[in-house]
Amino acid sequence: MNHKHNNRYHSKDSRIELNPLFTRDEEATDIPRYKMPEEENLPSTAYQFVHDESMLDGNARLNLATFVSTWMEDEAQRLYLESADKNMIDKDEYPRTAEIETRCWRMLADLWHAPDVERAIGCSTVGSSEACMLGGLALKRRWQHARRERGLSTEKPNLVLSSAVQVCWEKFCNYFDVEARYVPISMEHKVLDGHDLDSYIDENTIGVVAIMGVTYTGMYEPVKQIAEVLDQIESERGLDIPIHVDGASGGMIAPFIQEDLEWDFRIPRVASISTSAHKYGLVYPGLGWVVWRDTDVLPDDLVFKVSYLGGEMPTFALNFSRPGAQVLLQYYLFLRLGKEGYRRVQQATQDVAVYLSSSIGEMPQFELWNDGTDIPVFAWSMKEGHTKNWNLYHLSERLRTKGWLVPAYPMPADVEALTVQRVVVRNGFSHDLAKQFLADLKDEVDYLDSLDGPMPEPNHSMSFTH
């Protein structure tokens, strides 16, 4: 640890003080910030310390950067508290929770048009990142088995993805020794759409990732179009390349408000689909799902048979013990909303997104990248030549003073010169809030446009935080 960091442990900032109204006789009125206290505190005192610190977090309803659910009904809150102690891995002690997990992924397999739900296989995960990694591992292992059966090398596997892919795929390729082959996006090809795909694929390609809702902008990648290009590649070169659909967001949007869009198991080349339950699945953070078309595409040697706490069970996961409460919350929502309820919720969020995007698109300062008609997410850039006095980073900082979190960031490689801002519309972001946001946005734009000279360069990160 360097000297600078050492100093903070010996400064006045190294202790947290409690408001005198909450102190108790013969009890500490402050505690160490970076060390465990020597003595116990009353539950109410410990609560007050934590409560006072955490209340300084932002207002979740004004956070237009995150995809993650921040609100559930009172009945769900009660269910959450009642099941907070359940361990998802312990299927012997919690067999009904395990059964409910199976019901949920079977419902998803049906929702995603698995050709035979009885032959599909799936599981819950901590989030869509783990789900993506499991999908990627299955692609790699299937490729390895096929190569070994033909007496071929299993070295140097590669995975083809968009340059706008979510960071979990970069992690997968790094952690599991797979070469990432990024197809760059451009102004002409805003997403991975099959263009020039043939030049990225060879006999070592384990699969192609198609994203239903690119994190940068919210746009869908055309899975059917990508599959048609792969069909052509197979007919010409004999390479049978599967697709994993990263439906972190769109997997819980498209089935309800874009029912005719073919992106799921209706496309034979789609081997697996993942989604994030704590995004548009509407569950509190800590849950994802992955479903495979059938047991043939999930190699059996990836599934462990574990004897644990009195029972034997199959498990395929990167994590072991983890909460079971969110699985029950997902089942609650499936029962509570049904298809029609989900349709109404998702349509409402899309309606707000389209209202906002059309309003921002009409402002002379901006140019839309997309309009929120895929998932309820859209991005915009500054109109070229509008001004040299301010940029979207300045606007982001100005909006933050009114409580709004609206990120500004550069686009990925080959389009990195373009900076955009993005809005994510989630359940609970109403038309009234949208109108207030627009009013604040226009006020801040008017203020920035009124400047006589350039704003100082803001202190911003040059990398995108997903």
Side-chain angles (χ1 to χ4, degrees), residues 142-161:
R142 283 179 60 207
W143 174 81
Q144 289 173 323
H145 287 333
R147 298 280 290 177
R148 288 185 183 122
E149 287 172 5
R150 296 160 57 196
L152 300 173
S153 170
T154 57
E155 295 181 355
K156 299 183 178 179
N158 66 72
L159 183 67
V160 177
L161 343 88

Side-chain angles (χ1 to χ4, degrees), residues 339-400:
K339 291 183 179 180
E340 177 58 22
Y342 265 99
R343 187 199 67 77
R344 292 177 62 191
V345 169
Q346 313 301 37
Q347 188 63 63
T349 56
Q350 189 188 67
D351 289 346
V352 172
V354 171
Y355 162 71
L356 278 176
S357 69
S358 61
S359 301
I360 292 172
E362 291 172 357
M363 296 175 66
Q365 298 87 353
F366 303 130
E367 190 169 333
L368 288 178
W369 178 273
N370 62 307
D371 62 3
T373 53
D374 289 339
I375 64 172
V377 175
F378 65 95
W380 68 90
S381 60
M382 289 280 287
K383 192 161 287 184
E384 189 173 354
H386 172 67
T387 183
K388 292 184 178 180
N389 287 344
W390 60 276
N391 56 40
L392 293 181
Y393 296 107
H394 296 117
L395 178 56
S396 180
E397 289 191 349
R398 293 291 305 179
L399 289 170
R400 186 179 286 267

Side-chain angles (χ1 to χ4, degrees), residues 50-256:
V50 178
H51 172 80
D52 287 354
E53 290 245 29
S54 63
M55 75 177 185
L56 298 176
D57 286 336
N59 184 332
R61 294 190 70 186
L62 303 184
N63 186 350
L64 304 185
T66 184
F67 288 79
V68 176
S69 299
T70 54
W71 177 88
M72 294 191 77
E73 294 170 313
D74 289 343
E75 291 80 2
Q77 302 263 26
R78 189 162 70 246
L79 190 62
Y80 199 3
L81 290 174
E82 292 171 356
S83 55
D85 61 338
K86 293 184 185 294
N87 183 357
M88 194 64 246
I89 200 66
D90 190 355
K91 294 175 171 59
D92 187 59
E93 184 174 355
Y94 306 111
R96 301 323 297 167
T97 299
E99 164 63 20
I100 286 171
E101 178 192 28
T102 299
R103 292 179 200 173
C104 285
W105 65 251
R106 284 189 182 275
M107 288 179 183
L108 290 172
D110 177 67
L111 191 68
W112 295 335
H113 299 96
D116 183 353
V117 174
E118 293 301 316
R119 294 197 66 236
I121 187 73
C123 64
S124 66
T125 60
V126 170
S128 61
S129 292
E130 182 188 9
C132 287
M133 293 196 188
L134 297 182
L137 281 171
L139 291 177
K140 181 180 178 182
R141 189 62 58 88
R142 283 179 60 207
W143 174 81
Q144 289 173 323
H145 287 333
R147 298 280 290 177
R148 288 185 183 122
E149 287 172 5
R150 296 160 57 196
L152 300 173
S153 170
T154 57
E155 295 181 355
K156 299 183 178 179
N158 66 72
L159 183 67
V160 177
L161 343 88
S162 162
S163 62
V165 77
Q166 214 270 355
V167 70
C168 70
W169 288 105
E170 299 176 44
K171 290 182 177 180
F172 167 75
C173 291
N174 186 349
Y175 296 166
F176 295 103
D177 294 322
V178 174
E179 177 194 354
R181 293 187 173 178
Y182 296 113
V183 180
I185 65 169
S186 66
M187 300 303 292
E188 295 76 27
H189 301 278
K190 291 184 173 182
V191 294
L192 176 67
D193 57 10
H195 172 74
D196 202 30
L197 194 57
D198 185 58
S199 63
Y200 291 85
I201 285 173
D202 59 26
E203 63 180 10
N204 291 332
T205 301
I206 66 174
V208 171
V209 175
I211 310 170
M212 285 294 286
V214 174
T215 312
Y216 281 84
T217 62
M219 295 180 69
Y220 287 156
E221 294 184 336
V223 183
K224 186 175 182 181
Q225 186 173 316
I226 294 169
E228 289 170 350
V229 173
L230 293 173
D231 290 343
Q232 183 67 27
I233 290 172
E234 183 176 10
S235 69
E236 295 174 355
R237 299 170 58 189
L239 300 174
D240 182 11
I241 308 297
I243 294 174
H244 175 86
V245 177
D246 180 350
S249 296
M252 293 301 292
I253 294 286
F256 304 111

Side-chain angles (χ1 to χ4, degrees), residues 394-422:
H394 296 117
L395 178 56
S396 180
E397 289 191 349
R398 293 291 305 179
L399 289 170
R400 186 179 286 267
T401 65
K402 293 190 174 180
W404 301 106
L405 272 64
V406 188
Y409 48 84
M411 292 291 276
D414 294 301
V415 203
E416 67 268 23
L418 181 70
T419 297
V420 299
Q421 273 189 293
R422 185 197 66 196

Side-chain angles (χ1 to χ4, degrees), residues 229-290:
V229 173
L230 293 173
D231 290 343
Q232 183 67 27
I233 290 172
E234 183 176 10
S235 69
E236 295 174 355
R237 299 170 58 189
L239 300 174
D240 182 11
I241 308 297
I243 294 174
H244 175 86
V245 177
D246 180 350
S249 296
M252 293 301 292
I253 294 286
F256 304 111
I257 63 174
Q258 294 126 350
E259 296 178 66
D260 295 332
L261 180 65
E262 293 184 37
W263 63 275
D264 52 18
F265 291 125
R266 284 171 288 187
I267 300 169
R269 200 167 286 279
V270 172
S272 50
I273 302 172
S274 56
T275 197
S276 178
H278 58 229
K279 293 180 181 175
Y280 289 102
L282 309 181
V283 176
Y284 279 142
L287 185 63
W289 298 97
V290 58

